[in-house]
Amino acid sequence: MPASSLDQVVSLCKRRGFIYPGSAIYGGLANSWDYGPLGVELARNVKQQWWEAMVYRRDDIEGLDSGIILNRKVWKYSGHEGGFNDPLVDNKESKKRYRLDHLLEAQSAATLQKLVELIRMKTKASEIDTAPDKLINGLVHALFDLKSSAGELLTQAKIVDPETDEPGNWTEPRQFNMMFSTQFGVTADEENKVYLRPETAQGIFVNFKHVAETSRRKPPFGVAQIGKSFRNEITPGNFIFRTREFEQMEMEFFIPPPPYAEGERTDDEWHAHWVNERFNWYTDLGVSPERLRKHNHPKEVLSHYSKATTDIEYRFPGSLGFAELEGIANRSDFDLTAHSREVPNNTEARERLKLPPNPDSVENLTFFDQEKKQHIVPWVIEPAVGVARPMLVFLCEAFAIELVDELPEADAKRAGEQLAAYLKSVEKSENLDDGDKKAIVDYGRQLAAMEIGKALPQVSALLELKGATRIELSKKLKGLVDKLIETNYRTVLKLDWRLSPIKVAVFPLKKNEDNIVTLARKVRASLAAHWRTVYDDTGAIGKLYRRQDEIGTPYCVTVDFESLKENTVTVRHRDTMAQERVAIHDLVPFFSRKFSHPAHCREA
Ligand code: GAP
């Protein structure tokens, strides 16, 4: 069972040292996060898995590490300086600022319909496409086309401020460039203005020729890069899902351009290939395909450089729901043309791509096709993903609360009675919205029909449904459920071992038995030469197992009195909790076998 709410994962991350709030001792810095000892290991493992899949296991991709700060002209010709904009709007009363499209997405269908009618009355036109996947984008364009009075219409339509839950008093929407700027040199004048990169991709495009020539590559080949990017996001949030400073993993795959000869792979086929490759990367690392989906961007919302984009989305728990994890774009010949001084059929290509001439570049980013005997601009397929979003997905997927000890009959009975009383109170309540009430009652009845002792995590999830805590009895029920979960259940992260921050934990059975401690430390050192291994003697063995379960450590090794006589230790498996004796001299081959089979941690 994956996490039933994002809060469960956030709380585990903070409690166990995966992720800390940034600059906390000075009151924090909004929506910024630091990775602690476990978070840094998880992030490194995610990046390592991506790098292995993209670079090491293929023979057509090279790596690169370009600068965060590039010549400002890179961003001029990439289109970011003029066009990397988000539509913004403020509520004059709450002083909250929103991205207009995000604000509209949060409105009810009736409110959006009202806004459509008001715009139509104002413009005397009926051009807004109200098809579900086009409505928001159509409204954003229509509001900007109004030039003035858009704020007034948002106010009249009673567009609700998600922060206050009240209709807002809205300003005119305006465009806002998301790039952070700084100065490169001692004086803060316009000449020295530079940007922190908002994507790693441009560093790859401007190095296209270097990589192609020095590694003797010709399309199809790719260049992969991992590194920090910065965007002055208007609505960061949902923990590490959207932040202003983040890390990206991007790969630009350069392919021959159309027209294609019979049997040659087309750009659409390469695009589909990369969508599948990337989808499989997640499922191979343990993400259930049921919670993943592919979403093709409608033409109207494509980025300025894209011919087609498919997002891989994940169904996060709670209100976040399906959200973008990764985007795979067909960037055509946009970028290499944009950064070239001249390409074949220069004027025609720039007109087609709506690109200005580029007198500043000293290079033509083309390759010479020996067969066609001509210079050609490659097309680009780009899988692009952050590091934080896959981290969050792997954590949500791996999170489980499992029953370890059967509940005593009296406790189970008490929990059943309190659940029944709570549901009765929900049914009678006049405080709840009809939809919320139905959702709570329907789910609650399903749980009441189950063996309650085995369904306490689900009862916890029930109490997280919208409106559930408005009922007085919820507090009593929650108090009991939390207590019973604490004593009878364990929290476990069933991470694939390749992602686990720690692979093996070694414990001495007695921390004041010198011989046992010395041997345990020796065992740790011999394993640490191969895998991230920790030593811990800060609790009783049962407690130490639970702690390692909670952070996803696949194996624990306990050194005891028998170890001193027999030279064997107990190896305990995280997922099954099974234990076996293994000879100390056999531990390295034992774990080598375990850690060579990628999926073994998912067998339970
Ligand atoms: N080069 C193309 C590009 O950057 P994007 O869709 O803007 O495309 C790619 O970003 C991926 O980077 C997203 O799918 C997401 O995983 C990650 N990402 C983008 N903005 C982010 C943010 N503010 N915080 C965390 N991750 C972000």
Side-chain angles (χ1 to χ4, degrees):
M1 189 187 74
S4 57
S5 78
L6 209 50
D7 286 348
Q8 286 179 319
V9 172
V10 175
S11 134
L12 173 73
C13 284
K14 291 184 183 167
R15 191 171 70 246
R16 294 308 314 273
F18 280 87
I19 294 166
Y20 309 128
S23 313
I25 65 162
Y26 288 108
L29 177 68
N31 296 293
S32 71
W33 303 96
D34 294 337
Y35 290 168
L38 299 174
V40 71
E41 295 294 342
L42 177 58
R44 281 170 62 105
N45 294 342
V46 169
K47 287 184 270 184
Q48 184 63 23
Q49 286 310 313
W50 187 86
W51 197 260
E52 280 184 19
M54 290 307 219
V55 184
Y56 293 175
R57 274 186 240 134
R58 302 181 62 104
D59 63 1
D60 54 0
I61 298 184
E62 304 284 350
L64 180 80
D65 191 5
S66 68
I68 285 175
I69 297 176
L70 306 177
N71 187 314
R72 183 174 166 186
K73 291 193 182 112
V74 171
W75 306 109
K76 173 177 171 187
Y77 289 103
S78 70
H80 285 80
E81 198 170 47
F84 193 55
N85 294 325
D86 266 351
L88 261 192
V89 67
D90 292 294
N91 181 357
K92 292 181 208 163
E93 269 149 33
S94 71
K95 310 284 179 229
K96 291 283 164 197
R97 177 168 292 172
Y98 298 97
R99 242 178 82 167
L100 181 57
D101 50 342
H102 290 178
L103 178 69
L104 295 178
E105 274 160 16
Q107 305 301 313
S108 70
T111 307
L112 292 181
Q113 186 51 38
K114 175 93 189 140
L115 184 61
V116 170
E117 281 161 21
L118 287 169
I119 296 173
R120 279 182 180 157
M121 269 160 58
K122 185 94 188 167
T123 57
K124 309 214 169 22
S126 55
E127 270 167 18
I128 302 169
D129 191 337
T130 51
D133 59 340
K134 302 205 170 135
L135 177 61
I136 300 294
N137 195 47
L139 281 171
V140 170
H141 279 119
L143 287 163
F144 271 96
D145 285 346
L146 284 172
K147 305 260 183 308
S148 63
S149 74
E152 201 182 305
L153 295 194
L154 290 168
T155 309
Q156 278 176 24
K158 297 202 177 352
I159 295 293
V160 171
D161 182 332
E163 190 78 16
T164 60
D165 243 353
E166 300 284 336
N169 181 2
W170 300 101
T171 61
E172 288 303 306
R174 65 204 177 285
Q175 297 288 0
F176 167 81
N177 192 294
M178 299 210 306
M179 283 195 292
F180 281 98
S181 61
T182 184
Q183 70 196 55
F184 204 70
V186 283
T187 49
D189 52 25
E190 193 60 19
E191 283 261 291
N192 284 343
K193 182 172 169 182
V194 287
Y195 299 106
L196 303 187
R197 67 181 174 200
E199 61 171 14
T200 62
Q202 298 302 324
I204 299 180
F205 297 131
V206 298
N207 279 295
F208 164 76
K209 239 186 173 159
H210 291 147
V211 179
E213 284 174 7
T214 53
S215 14
R216 300 176 178 278
R217 292 285 191 180
K218 63 181 189 119
F221 79 97
V223 181
Q225 169 158 237
I226 299 179
K228 288 267 170 133
S229 292
F230 302 82
R231 295 182 192 176
N232 208 352
E233 298 279 3
I234 298 139
T235 44
N238 282 314
F239 194 36
I240 55 172
F241 182 82
R242 183 174 289 110
T243 49
R244 293 186 171 117
E245 173 181 344
F246 57 100
E247 218 167 354
Q248 281 189 306
M249 308 187 282
E250 299 198 284
M251 195 278 291
E252 308 303 322
F253 198 73
F254 301 99
I255 55 170
Y260 297 106
E262 184 74 23
E264 200 180 356
R265 224 183 217 183
T266 67
D267 57 305
D268 289 339
E269 284 165 351
W270 273 117
H271 188 223
H273 166 84
W274 278 109
V275 171
N276 285 335
E277 286 286 294
R278 297 301 306 144
F279 191 95
N280 294 342
W281 186 76
Y282 294 104
T283 54
D284 175 57
L285 285 167
V287 181
S288 163
E290 284 161 32
R291 282 180 287 279
L292 289 170
R293 75 176 181 198
K294 298 169 190 169
H295 167 70
N296 296 325
H297 285 206
K299 286 257 172 303
E300 302 74 27
V301 302
L302 288 175
S303 307
H304 61 281
Y305 51 74
S306 171
K307 178 191 160 194
T309 297
T310 302
D311 283 346
I312 297 177
E313 297 184 334
Y314 176 74
R315 181 150 56 82
F316 288 92
S319 59
L320 186 53
F322 268 113
E324 175 188 340
L325 179 52
E326 159 155 10
I328 299 104
N330 179 345
R331 298 182 73 125
S332 74
D333 49 346
F334 183 91
D335 304 277
L336 294 188
T337 304
H339 290 303
S340 291
R341 189 174 184 93
E342 199 161 318
V343 293
N345 306 319
N346 199 25
T347 315
E348 194 188 291
R350 286 181 194 279
E351 252 168 44
R352 171 172 53 83
L353 296 163
K354 300 196 180 68
L355 283 169
N358 187 343
D360 291 320
S361 171
V362 295
E363 194 51 277
N364 295 330
L365 301 178
T366 56
F367 82 100
F368 188 70
D369 187 325
Q370 293 290 352
E371 275 161 38
K372 293 184 183 150
K373 298 273 174 278
Q374 58 182 348
H375 287 278
I376 275 172
V377 187
W379 278 37
V380 174
I381 307 295
E382 174 200 68
V385 63
V387 174
R389 289 189 194 178
M391 270 175 75
L392 203 50
V393 167
F394 294 131
L395 287 167
C396 287
E397 276 294 294
F399 187 95
I401 299 179
E402 285 183 350
L403 183 64
V404 182
D405 298 316
E406 278 298 308
L407 239 57
E409 222 171 275
D411 286 338
K413 188 162 169 264
R414 206 147 53 98
E417 284 166 2
Q418 285 197 17
L419 175 64
Y422 169 78
L423 289 175
K424 217 176 238 171
S425 182
V426 172
E427 279 174 80
K428 278 202 224 133
S429 166
E430 286 172 7
N431 250 340
L432 287 171
D433 180 281
D434 282 351
D436 295 346
K437 185 189 270 194
K438 184 167 181 323
I440 299 170
V441 171
D442 287 354
Y443 188 35
R445 284 203 187 123
Q446 275 178 40
L447 301 182
M450 289 165 68
E451 199 181 320
I452 193 72
K454 295 201 168 125
L456 293 187
Q458 287 92 319
V459 178
S460 249
L462 172 85
L463 294 173
E464 280 166 18
L465 291 180
K466 196 157 160 248
T469 50
R470 285 211 197 141
I471 305 297
E472 188 56 31
L473 280 182
S474 66
K475 285 194 204 97
K476 198 167 160 203
L477 179 60
K478 187 170 180 336
L480 176 67
V481 168
D482 284 353
K483 195 173 129 230
L484 294 177
I485 286 182
E486 163 111 24
T487 47
N488 298 71
Y489 284 73
R490 67 169 181 155
T491 300
V492 53
L493 276 186
K494 293 191 167 180
L495 286 169
D496 185 290
W497 70 265
R498 292 169 291 178
L499 299 169
S500 293
I502 292 164
K503 313 296 184 211
V504 186
V506 181
F507 315 137
L509 184 69
K510 292 252 183 265
K511 70 171 177 184
N512 40 16
E513 268 311 317
D514 286 351
N515 290 346
I516 291 183
V517 168
T518 307
L519 184 57
R521 288 200 182 275
K522 231 168 106 187
V523 167
R524 188 213 72 88
S526 69
L527 297 177
H530 303 268
W531 308 279
R532 175 82 175 122
T533 308
V534 296
Y535 171 91
D536 194 358
D537 63 7
T538 57
I541 295 295
K543 201 163 212 161
L544 296 180
Y545 284 154
R546 291 282 185 282
R547 277 195 212 149
Q548 295 299 327
D549 287 346
E550 210 185 20
I551 61 170
T553 307
Y555 297 100
C556 294
V557 169
T558 303
V559 177
D560 53 20
F561 289 105
E562 212 179 314
S563 310
L564 300 175
K565 285 188 268 162
E566 309 282 333
N567 269 318
T568 57
V569 289
T570 298
V571 174
R572 187 253 194 192
H573 299 237
R574 175 195 70 197
D575 294 350
T576 58
M577 293 189 283
Q579 302 191 0
E580 61 183 304
R581 287 304 280 191
V582 178
I584 291 175
H585 71 263
D586 212 20
L587 278 175
V588 169
F590 174 88
F591 286 122
S592 297
R593 283 193 299 278
K594 296 291 180 196
F595 295 145
S596 66
H597 178 17
H600 84 96
C601 281
R602 277 181 272 135
E603 70 202 356

